[in-house]
Amino acid sequence: MSKAPTRLWGGRFEGGPSDALARLSVSVQFDWRLAPYDLMGSRAHARVLNRAGLLDDDELTRMLDAIDDLEQACASGEFRPTVADEDVHTALERGLLERLGSLGGKLRAGRSRNDQVATDLRLYLRDHVRRIVSRLVELQTSLIGQAEANMGVACPGMTHLQHAQPVLFSHQLLAHVHAISRDIERFQDWDKRAAISPLGSGALAGSSLPLDPQAVAEELGFTAAAANSMDAVSDRDFVAEFLFAAALTGVHLSRLGEEVCLWASQEFRWIEMDDTYATGSSIMPQKKNPDVAELARGKAGRIIGALVGLLTTLKGLPLTYNRDLQEDKEGAFDAVETLLLVLPAVSGLIATMRVNTERMEELAPQGFALATDLAELLVRRGVVFRDAHEVVGHLVVWCQVNDKDFGDLTDEELAKVSPHLTPDVREVLNVPGAIASRKAHGGTAPERVQEQIENLRASSDAAASWASES
Ligand code: ARG
């Protein structure tokens, strides 16, 4: 006969839960990820109970040894949750009871699963945010590396996915790096608000035992203990905010992914993906598909879904803890795991892609992309911008009708469209000149792009230290 399952709330109940309730209620299959963090909390709590005189020194030593032993057994897989464990807290209490007998039951004094689970999830997310930031830094390094290696290469800059003005390809790559920098800052900001410890709040009202929530907070790396126990056990802002930062990161990866899909297409041919980051087709032997980029694009959907799902769960919940809150975890875990899965693949894809510089340079002026430069030259010569715009517009139409590009025009043809179009306007009708002229702050001129590379490298290095040290 098997032993009765460990339950944390059996006292007032005559029978065990129905199968249907047990199946609905169980969360250990996903919240087992919190085990290392729950054990960290248990260690801190044991010390506080000792200082409060609720656990003598010998009991504390035995408790800490048992926690260490259980931690190792969890890490090696020797101790695992069973189907009878309702959640991670139940499974770990069973582990302590197996090691300590009734002493294992002392740790629950002054603590509830409500403050425990909120603490565990904060610890888990704060730890994983650092891993995510490290992976984001690697992606920045890949993008900056390509920006540096291809410095000076022009490409068509687009609006509405139409050729607009030529830009440096590096400028475009760095635009993605800036977006990722904001993602990193958002995670770092989030971390400051998430660094509040709910432990000590008990079920909802705090504890009558002389515990020391501030000491526990400090031991667990939090900046302070929560000031209001009711808020502490019911607040899931930190999950929602994390999911927003994760979802926006996912959106940024999806935009980069979409660009890579375009760049690798037959129509663009801006880049060639390395074989190690591309896939083939089971039927079409010639295919090389951008699956990494597509999955980066596609997986944003599930993170956005997790954010919307959680906000919907939280909306209208009365204070304080409600079991609905158990629904906070799967989406958060999935968002973390999705980012940690996608980011290394995207970094590798970017780092190894080969840039088809000749093709880009050839495309850069196409589609009358130098029209704005021509109009601005006329403005510098005193023509009202409205008129300059009109003149160049006419020139474009004339070229289209006569199947010509700006470069093919004779002096007579230019003069026919407008007296302003003297032969020397040709001086601005070249891509390097157009790019070099955009040297105001934030522009695509090589010196501005070089500055960005330096600044972004510095902020990326700072983020790497934050992730590894804090
Ligand atoms: N598994 C629960 C959760 O994730 C733990 C807290 C349970 N608390 C309770 N009062 N039933 O939220």
Side-chain angles (χ1 to χ4, degrees), residues 8-9 25-28 30-31 34 86-90 112-118 121 203 236 321-329:
L8 305 186
W9 42 268
S25 170
V26 65
S27 59
V28 78
F30 53 82
D31 68 17
L34 299 177
E86 184 184 315
D87 54 24
V88 59
H89 323 288
T90 314
S112 153
R113 283 184 291 170
N114 297 353
D115 58 352
Q116 232 175 307
V117 77
L121 193 52
R236 293 296 183 275
Y321 180 84
N322 299 276
R323 194 62 184 274
D324 315 45
L325 292 177
Q326 180 166 297
E327 292 296 311
D328 63 354
K329 278 176 277 303

